[in-house]
Amino acid sequence: MSALVNKIRLYWPLIKSTQTGLLLATGIAGYLSAGTPIGLPTLLGVSLTLFLAISGSTILNMWYDHDIDAKMKRTHKRPAAAGILSRVEVFWVGMVISILGVGGALLIAPLYGAVVFAGWFFDVVVYTLWLKRRTCWSIVWGGISGAMPILSGRALATGQIDLVGILLALAILFWIPTHTLTFSIKFREDYANAGVPTFPSTYGETFTRATIAISSALAAVAIGWASVLIGVSAGYLRLIAVLTAGLLLLAFATFRVQSERVNFGLFKYASLYMLSSMIILAMKAF
Amino acid sequence: MKMSMLDRTLLLATGLLAAYQIVVGINDLSTAPIIAYTIAFGVLLVAGLLLIILGFDVLDAPVVVIVSTVIPLALSLGLVWEHLSAFRTPYLIFAILGFLAVVLTRTIPMQNKLPTVAIAVVHGIAGLTIFLLPIVIAVQGAARPAFALVGLGGALIGLGGLLLSFLKAGRPILSRETIFRVLPGLLLLMTICFVAGFKYG
């Protein structure tokens, strides 16, 4: 038993728990946003399969990127990069968890499974294996992958890919650059040492900050539009409007004031904004 | 000054109460007060979140003076619109001109006392309105006695505004550390007064 606990303790840092938790929250919010009757077994199934699929793709990302992680101060202590776990072990853990997640999702519903698989494929194959070391635009595919959990949850509840699902997916797609580009500015030297092309190293900081500001604004528009279509109550729409105004002001400030502090403020606020929006959308089910 | 976990908790509670007020606390009002109160509590909510994220240093930003004017102006406008219908238009004009005056005097560099005068007039009138109007209404029996809590909230927001204004003007009433130590608790107490006053008043 203690050996198993030790293994889980070793594997846990492989899944980037905060990021995985936030993406899982988007998937559950997507499911609940439809306002359909909540089936507890289905909700548990969604939570488990999404958690496994997202964790599996993250672990495979750590498996493949162990060499560049080892060159970066921010990531060199990750288990695969630091040699705490062998590459082979990390690969097989990632594969098994991925198969369990995607396979389970396909068993729940083919459309839901297909969208979950698309997310896994875009993250592992297109983003990690193919584009990450070649072009800074790889983040778009990372963003599309991150948008799949919310789309899958919505698709499972409605049985189709509808406009609201696409808008919610776009919201996540536009929110992810706020996350990744802020990191690429903050840890610019790290990425340069590892030879990973980033927006700041390719187009400069001003362009990157403008991209962050514009993508935050687009994420806010998508969330607002989706909220109206979902039929969120007037009170919650007011709250979304207030939080959106804060996001837009910070995005504008990031563009005007070339400060890492403001940039990081936007990064944290955007995460809080997305989590709050997900909670509000999930309220539709209750 | 580093923000403690207690400060963050108090600010988070302030934000949650402000969010509650935006979502359910003003549902039965007419459009204009809803907009005014949404702006007031919205600024409070976002400001609380930014304080948690960026720390007390964010209060050094010049824009704080402008933003902190929005809360009393919007709150007082909502109160006047609801309870002093004869003064709706004049007060709306005062709120718009007062806000513009604060923005202009804070963005255009000037050597005279105009920026201080603009702040004092706008905060003074808005603050007195939030403080006195709910108490008068409660005493007259036009609202339940608990509505006077909104006035108490007005007194607290006035106190917080004074402490910050004098600090930013370089003539602090209390030390910077003391002000920052009491600010999260003051903001929470003020928000409790507002929310309770609107709910039970």
Side-chain angles (χ1 to χ4, degrees), chain A residues 136-268:
Chain A
C136 62
W137 288 97
S138 63
I139 60 159
V140 173
W141 293 97
I144 292 173
S145 162
M148 290 300 111
I150 198 164
L151 185 61
S152 67
R154 178 84 190 173
L156 178 63
T158 59
Q160 59 177 338
I161 307 282
D162 62 353
L163 177 60
V164 171
I166 292 169
L167 285 170
L168 292 175
L170 282 174
I172 304 294
L173 170 65
F174 288 123
W175 162 68
I176 283 177
T178 310
H179 218 82
T180 49
L181 295 184
T182 303
F183 264 61
S184 68
I185 291 176
K186 190 173 170 68
F187 301 105
R188 191 175 30 207
E189 284 180 20
D190 254 11
Y191 283 105
N193 289 338
V196 177
T198 61
F199 262 61
S201 64
T202 311
Y203 299 108
E205 242 183 69
T206 306
F207 181 81
T208 308
R209 285 182 203 281
T211 309
I212 292 172
I214 291 166
S215 69
S216 299
L218 290 173
V221 169
I223 278 283
W225 189 358
S227 305
V228 172
L229 291 180
I230 285 170
V232 170
S233 72
Y236 282 112
L237 276 181
R238 287 196 293 271
L239 184 57
I240 287 181
V242 161
L243 293 170
T244 301
L247 184 73
L248 295 179
L249 282 173
L250 259 181
F252 179 69
T254 306
F255 189 56
R256 280 287 306 271
V257 186
Q258 305 280 308
S259 147
E260 197 167 289
R261 186 175 165 74
V262 176
N263 214 24
F264 214 64
L266 174 63
F267 160 73
K268 286 191 169 177

Side-chain angles (χ1 to χ4, degrees), chain B residues 87-99:
Chain B
F87 290 90
R88 282 176 179 175
T89 309
Y91 200 87
L92 178 64
I93 293 168
F94 160 74
I96 293 169
L97 291 180
F99 180 67

Side-chain angles (χ1 to χ4, degrees), chain B residues 41-195:
Chain B
F41 287 102
V43 170
L44 195 60
L45 167 62
V46 174
L49 292 176
L50 289 180
L51 267 172
I52 293 171
I53 291 169
L54 295 170
F56 287 122
D57 292 346
V58 76
L59 294 173
D60 293 329
V63 76
V64 167
V65 178
I66 296 171
V67 172
S68 64
T69 310
V70 175
I71 300 175
L73 268 181
L75 264 176
S76 57
L77 178 61
L79 286 167
V80 168
W81 201 276
E82 263 193 290
H83 301 286
L84 290 175
S85 53
F87 290 90
R88 282 176 179 175
T89 309
Y91 200 87
L92 178 64
I93 293 168
F94 160 74
I96 293 169
L97 291 180
F99 180 67
L100 286 176
V102 171
V103 171
L104 289 175
T105 53
R106 291 286 149 175
T107 46
I108 301 168
M110 47 185 74
Q111 296 297 318
N112 53 32
K113 290 186 174 175
L114 202 55
T116 315
V117 171
I119 281 282
V121 170
V122 170
H123 271 274
I125 293 175
L128 279 175
T129 305
I130 304 170
F131 174 51
L132 292 176
L133 189 55
I135 293 172
V136 170
I137 289 168
V139 169
Q140 284 179 341
R144 280 182 280 180
F147 195 59
L149 281 171
V150 176
L152 183 58
L156 292 172
I157 197 176
L159 178 64
L162 271 176
L163 290 173
L164 282 177
S165 299
F166 276 94
L167 177 70
K168 289 191 81 65
R171 291 190 291 273
I173 301 168
L174 297 171
S175 72
R176 183 185 162 90
E177 284 70 26
T178 310
I179 291 172
F180 288 171
R181 201 170 296 136
V182 299
L183 192 64
L186 194 66
L187 284 174
L188 178 59
L189 199 58
M190 174 194 92
T191 312
I192 289 171
C193 287
F194 283 141
V195 173

